[in-house]
Amino acid sequence: MNGHNLNLVMVDDHGSLGCESSTVSKSAASHMSSSRRLPNHPGQQGETEEKLDPFEVQFDPDDPENPHNWSRRKRWYLTGLSGLLVLNATFASSVPSEIVGPLEHEFGFSIEVGALLISLFVAGYCVGPLLWGPLSEQYGRRIIGIISFTIYTGSQVGCALSPNSASLLIFRFLGGTFAASPMTNSGAIISDIWDADTRGTAMALFTLAPFAGPSLGPTVGGFMVTAGVSWRWVFWLLAMFAGACGILLTLTQPETYSPVILVRKAKRLRKETGDDRWWAPLERQQVGLRQHLEHILGRPFEMLFMEPMLVAINLYMSFVYGCMYLLFEAYPIVFSVGHGLNPGKSGLMFMPIFVGGTAACLVYMLYWNPIYKRLVKQYAPDPVPPEFRLDICAWAAPGFALSFFWFGWTSFPSISIWAPMMSGLVIGFTIIWIFLGLLNYTIDAYLFAAASALAANTVLRSIFGAGFPLFANQMFDKLNPRWASTLLGCIALLMMPLPLVLKRYGPFLQRKSRFTPKRTVNGTRSEEGSQGVMDGEVEVKRDSQGTRV
């Protein structure tokens, strides 16, 4: 299974994707030929029994309703739209970093309160993923996307019309909460529509969007301030951008989640045939409120604290993510205060981060992705061991640590601004590689529990992203940019061996985890590891030999 396939794993658990069946126009005889493996009855003592259910609605191999059968042009458009929605959400997180001065003058709040404009928006990312992901798996990607993006757009209007600092901060938090919908579900859409061969390229391009937005935001906000535009127009710009994206989403994005598409097909069949026996797998999920809350809220936090491997990964990724948002406070200190640049030119200093991230994606697609495809063929029919995903992190980790020493010790006002500015190339490049490697490793290692593992990662990462800007000003002011950057670089050096440690001890930790699946190596199945786990609110059953049913 391709490592990028988070939501495909979850779809498989619903028992829909990959099953062949008919469209409405097909005869009932075609449905009679389809089969589904049903869970064992309690008294079967682990025995597996194949049962035919001719009224289960599934996809034909060439079914035009199957997202994997849509034209490549349509799927690439949806990939671009998904990236645009994420770019919009992350762009909104960083634009206000350059308008703190005018806001301080109008509302009279401190620099620390100004930092909350970014922190509260990112804090919304902690709440949103726990809501929008599960809801999209129950009601579909499209309707949840439309509702959440509409409210997100409204929150930008609220910011623009805010009469005081309290209302402005409240609307910023609400904006981040609802902006987490594309952050959560756009990647799921890519997994819904792409086959394993192309998904790696699509996901690499998509990964750039969450980092491109924060890099571009300060540039736009800075030049608006330099031009003398009211700070309210910054939020009106965000509202117009969000509104345009919301219109595109509403008019051009179809439903992509296969279980929901099958539910609609089942309803259509029941109406057209008058036979109420047609059904889709999602319709037969009987999940109580307690179990529902346990899987939405309980499992990610259980994994967050009980899985040593996941704890290490989350701490490293959260530190990297926090450092990126810390730069929104550190760059103005170095370039505006130290070098005397106006807000517009100071915002341009973030551009090398975007350029470095773009270069990292290109190198990943041209070098690392082909290597992984060769490994897939080499290990077939077994999956590629997750540890191969860590090679890219082992190369990126030293560069990430060194980039902060570079930035800090070239930040003297007497040194050309090009020296600290170019450190952003390495920062952007290495952040993308670290995230691609560790996210793919998490998905490959936890597989059927990957959604919960990534939800835990998103929550902790967002906490760091929200918290780091709050102490950035004090840290860079008290320690000066040189020693503050040195502190960050030293912490990054301490975390640098993590990919190598996981590569060495990861298989042992996976065997001991109850959330990772049993794996086959050269045809031999390990007897240690997970039991049947729950993910996407559907139990992953196994027979007496440990084979997933």
Side-chain angles (χ1 to χ4, degrees):
M1 180 174 294
N2 187 288
H4 297 287
N5 191 4
L6 164 59
N7 286 280
L8 182 54
V9 170
M10 298 165 64
V11 173
D12 282 341
D13 288 343
H14 285 297
S16 59
L17 198 58
C19 301
E20 321 290 341
S21 75
S22 66
T23 60
V24 178
S25 61
K26 298 284 185 179
S27 65
S30 175
H31 285 287
M32 297 289 288
S33 66
S34 65
S35 65
R36 171 177 169 82
R37 180 172 287 183
L38 298 178
N40 302 330
H41 293 294
Q44 288 179 310
Q45 300 297 326
E47 295 179 1
T48 303
E49 179 180 349
E50 290 287 344
K51 293 194 174 183
L52 297 176
D53 190 335
F55 294 100
E56 179 185 0
V57 179
Q58 301 172 350
F59 285 132
D60 268 338
D62 298 322
D63 195 328
E65 292 188 69
N66 186 343
H68 282 249
N69 293 331
W70 295 346
S71 69
R72 293 183 67 85
R73 177 180 296 180
K74 180 177 182 178
R75 286 182 287 164
W76 275 117
Y77 169 77
L78 293 176
T79 301
L81 177 60
S82 298
L84 179 63
L85 296 178
V86 174
L87 176 68
N88 184 304
T90 56
F91 177 79
S93 72
S94 64
V95 168
S97 64
E98 296 295 336
I99 63 171
V100 173
L103 285 170
E104 289 176 356
H105 182 266
E106 179 160 342
F107 293 137
F109 54 62
S110 63
I111 294 178
E112 289 75 18
V113 175
L116 286 173
L117 291 172
I118 295 176
S119 294
L120 285 177
F121 193 95
V122 180
Y125 294 167
C126 302
V127 179
L130 300 175
L131 300 174
W132 312 128
L135 286 174
S136 75
E137 289 160 16
Q138 188 64 39
Y139 301 104
R141 317 286 192 207
R142 172 179 161 81
I143 186 63
I144 296 301
I146 291 174
I147 293 173
S148 60
F149 219 82
T150 300
I151 300 176
Y152 160 63
T153 303
S155 71
Q156 304 306 314
V157 177
C159 288
L161 298 176
S162 291
N164 51 54
S165 58
S167 61
L168 178 61
L169 295 176
I170 291 172
F171 279 118
R172 284 292 289 172
F173 176 74
L174 291 175
T177 301
F178 288 94
S181 175
M183 294 284 289
T184 304
N185 293 333
S186 290
I189 290 172
I190 291 177
S191 290
D192 289 342
I193 62 179
W194 284 112
D195 53 86
D197 289 340
T198 314
R199 193 179 303 113
T201 301
M203 191 61 82
L205 292 172
F206 171 79
T207 303
L208 181 62
F211 300 97
S215 302
L216 297 174
T219 304
V220 175
F223 275 109
M224 291 183 74
V225 172
T226 303
V229 175
S230 168
W231 63 267
R232 296 184 186 274
W233 274 103
V234 172
F235 291 109
W236 282 120
L237 173 66
L238 292 177
M240 290 185 284
F241 187 17
C245 290
I247 293 173
L248 279 177
L249 187 157
T250 303
L251 296 180
T252 64
Q253 180 175 298
E255 181 55 58
T256 63
Y257 190 44
S258 293
V260 172
I261 296 174
L262 291 173
V263 167
R264 295 177 181 176
K265 178 182 284 191
K267 291 179 179 178
R268 191 165 65 246
L269 270 172
R270 290 194 292 265
K271 181 179 179 181
E272 292 185 358
T273 64
D275 192 338
D276 291 335
R277 290 177 293 177
W278 298 109
W279 63 279
L282 190 61
E283 294 178 302
R284 293 200 173 181
Q285 289 184 21
Q286 299 296 329
V287 181
L289 178 61
R290 179 177 178 180
Q291 187 182 26
H292 190 72
L293 291 175
E294 177 186 347
H295 288 291
I296 293 177
L297 301 176
R299 169 156 300 206
F301 289 99
E302 182 182 2
M303 296 181 70
L304 180 63
F305 296 107
M306 301 301 293
E307 289 287 298
M309 179 172 63
L310 189 60
V311 169
I313 292 171
N314 287 346
L315 285 176
Y316 191 19
M317 293 181 67
S318 298
F319 173 74
V320 172
Y321 193 74
C323 285
M324 184 183 72
Y325 275 91
L326 178 143
L327 293 177
F328 298 134
E329 302 297 323
Y331 266 41
I333 293 175
V334 171
F335 294 109
S336 296
V337 177
H339 287 275
L341 299 182
N342 62 40
K345 293 180 179 179
S346 180
L348 284 175
M349 300 299 104
F350 288 90
M351 290 304 295
I353 298 177
F354 171 69
V355 175
T358 303
C361 287
L362 291 175
V363 175
Y364 178 84
M365 289 186 292
L366 296 175
Y367 180 74
W368 291 104
N369 208 42
I371 289 177
Y372 192 80
K373 288 183 178 180
R374 289 196 295 269
L375 290 173
V376 170
K377 296 179 181 178
Q378 176 183 335
Y379 278 84
D382 296 330
V384 179
E387 288 67 39
F388 282 100
R389 296 289 194 180
L390 297 170
D391 292 342
I392 189 173
C393 300
W395 283 100
F400 179 74
L402 293 175
S403 65
F404 279 92
F405 293 103
W406 177 355
F407 172 70
W409 291 100
T410 59
S411 63
F412 290 98
S414 58
I415 298 177
S416 169
I417 60 170
W418 287 91
M421 182 179 72
M422 287 298 102
S423 67
L425 289 172
V426 182
I427 292 174
F429 193 99
T430 53
I431 284 178
I432 293 292
W433 273 21
I434 290 171
F435 265 69
L436 280 172
L438 291 181
L439 284 176
N440 284 321
Y441 176 77
T442 301
I443 294 169
D444 285 0
Y446 286 98
L447 206 57
F448 302 117
S452 296
L454 292 182
N457 176 276
T458 301
V459 171
L460 185 63
R461 179 159 42 95
S462 299
I463 291 173
F464 275 60
F468 272 44
L470 296 179
F471 62 78
N473 274 292
Q474 293 88 338
M475 185 174 75
F476 274 75
D477 182 52
K478 298 294 184 182
L479 297 179
N480 74 48
R482 270 71 63 192
W483 291 108
S485 298
T486 298
L487 176 61
L488 296 174
C490 288
I491 297 174
L493 283 175
L494 291 175
M495 294 184 171
M496 188 175 68
L498 177 64
L500 299 178
V501 173
L502 287 177
K503 195 173 179 68
R504 175 67 178 85
Y505 296 103
F508 172 78
L509 293 174
Q510 291 169 49
R511 289 196 298 271
K512 296 299 182 183
S513 171
R514 65 189 181 92
F515 294 104
T516 55
K518 300 177 189 295
R519 300 187 181 276
T520 58
V521 181
N522 297 326
T524 302
R525 182 174 295 278
S526 169
E527 293 302 324
E528 301 182 70
S530 67
Q531 306 296 320
V533 296
M534 297 287 295
D535 199 54
E537 304 173 358
V538 179
E539 186 173 5
V540 178
K541 306 258 185 198
R542 297 183 185 276
D543 65 16
S544 57
Q545 284 74 43
T547 304
R548 179 173 178 268
V549 178

